[in-house]
Amino acid sequence: MKARAAKLVLGFGILILLLLISGPLRAQVADAALSGTVTEASGAVVPNAKISVKNLNTGQSTATQTNSAGLYKLTNLSPGDYEVSISADGFAAKVAKVTLSAGTTVTTNAALDVAPAQPQAPSSNLPNAPSSSKTAPSIQDLGFPADQTQGNSKEQALLDKRTHMLKIHQRLGLITTIPLIATVVTSVGAGGRSTSNTDRTVHMILGAAASDLYLTTAYFAIRAPRVPGTKARGPIRVHKALAWIHGPGMILTPILGAMAYSQESKGQKVHGIAAAHGPVAIVTAGAFGAALLSVSLKF
């Protein structure tokens, strides 16, 4: 009797255990389904739309697509919460969340909106056509090849140095006019045997100062680097041509002046090539003044 009673108790316990675990097992049966229709906002069906469902509890995803009638259906889904993503070419994607229960089919329809148009790149078969954008046209749009629009750092450095040195040349040239004019003015009292040594000395000092400044001015013009391919035009050509007159004159004038000063200091009359000091000085000063005017006046 005791053995029979023990078997009955064991059998009853096994039955109770089966009943307890059968509920959760039935809850895990993948018998839920999801279906629906995908259309445009106008109501027309959207074939081949992509449907993706993700189980938010397990992270598993399942995908399908609509048929020619815009219908889709996913079966054998486990009950739970899902995220449904619906997309199609030319339409904005939509995302929805649904909850599936065991043994049920949930219908989720979607009306897709047309995606906004994307800006198109300008046509490549018209390289010189103006850009379709509202910005200013580029150099390439105007027809200049890229190799002609690239800067040359070496040439730019030469141009910057040349510009700097020529500015100094110009300023020193203007400063040189001060002792040069003073030299011309004092030359009136420095000539002749009746003039004093003081007048001649003042004239000589002013002339030497003018020559020194002139040589310094000329240095910056001569040493300014040349940029390949550049040509002198208009006033600059006149300015350079006059330099061939006042340049040698600025060298010859003080030499002739020193000779004349020596002769007059000895009580002699200025003679020989020293007598050309005055005319050479006048021509030199005139050419120098004309050179200054050539770059000051527009013609």
Side-chain angles (χ1 to χ4, degrees):
M1 289 293 295
K2 292 183 178 180
R4 185 178 179 184
K7 290 181 180 179
L8 290 174
V9 171
L10 180 60
F12 184 76
I14 293 173
L15 178 62
I16 295 298
L17 180 61
L18 292 174
L19 291 175
L20 289 175
I21 65 175
S22 62
L25 287 175
R26 287 195 303 269
Q28 296 301 320
V29 175
D31 57 355
L34 179 68
S35 65
T37 304
V38 180
T39 61
E40 300 181 18
S42 62
V45 298
V46 180
N48 300 320
K50 298 177 181 178
I51 315 297
S52 176
V53 295
K54 179 180 179 180
N55 190 319
L56 299 179
N57 300 321
T58 64
Q60 292 181 341
S61 297
T62 305
T64 187
Q65 62 182 24
T66 58
N67 58 19
S68 59
L71 300 175
Y72 75 91
K73 187 173 183 179
L74 288 167
T75 59
N76 298 324
L77 299 176
S78 299
D81 296 326
Y82 284 84
E83 181 181 79
V84 183
S85 300
I86 304 174
S87 62
D89 293 338
F91 296 91
K94 281 195 173 183
V95 178
K97 290 184 178 181
V98 297
T99 300
L100 301 183
S101 301
T104 62
T105 299
V106 176
T107 301
T108 301
N109 299 323
L112 302 181
D113 298 322
V114 177
Q118 297 295 324
Q120 296 182 352
S123 177
S124 59
N125 60 349
L126 296 175
N128 296 330
S131 173
S132 59
S133 66
K134 295 183 179 180
T135 59
S138 66
I139 295 298
Q140 285 74 19
D141 289 337
L142 298 178
F144 293 94
D147 57 347
Q148 293 184 8
T149 61
Q150 299 297 324
N152 188 312
S153 58
K154 183 178 180 180
E155 289 186 0
Q156 184 62 47
L158 286 176
L159 182 60
D160 293 342
K161 184 177 181 181
R162 177 175 176 81
T163 301
H164 176 68
M165 295 186 72
L166 290 181
K167 283 183 178 180
I168 297 176
H169 165 74
Q170 182 184 34
R171 292 169 184 170
L172 289 177
L174 294 173
I175 295 173
T176 303
T177 58
I178 299 174
L180 182 62
I181 294 175
T183 302
V184 173
V185 172
T186 57
S187 65
V188 177
R193 299 176 64 181
S194 61
T195 58
S196 65
N197 286 333
T198 302
D199 293 335
R200 288 194 293 270
T201 301
V202 171
H203 175 71
M204 181 185 68
I205 293 174
L206 290 172
S211 297
D212 291 342
L213 278 173
Y214 175 84
L215 293 175
T216 305
T217 302
Y219 168 82
F220 284 95
I222 295 172
R223 297 298 297 173
R226 267 63 174 174
V227 179
T230 58
K231 295 181 180 180
R233 296 181 176 87
I236 302 300
R237 296 182 64 180
V238 176
H239 184 79
K240 287 185 174 182
L242 290 171
W244 290 99
I245 300 175
H246 61 69
M250 280 291 186
I251 298 174
L252 187 58
T253 298
I255 296 175
L256 297 176
M259 295 173 63
Y261 179 84
S262 177
Q263 292 173 1
E264 289 184 346
S265 297
K266 295 177 181 179
Q268 301 174 359
K269 182 180 180 179
V270 177
H271 58 279
I273 60 174
H277 168 68
V280 172
I282 292 174
V283 173
T284 300
F288 185 78
L292 290 178
L293 290 176
S294 68
V295 293
S296 300
L297 301 177
K298 302 293 184 181
F299 62 89

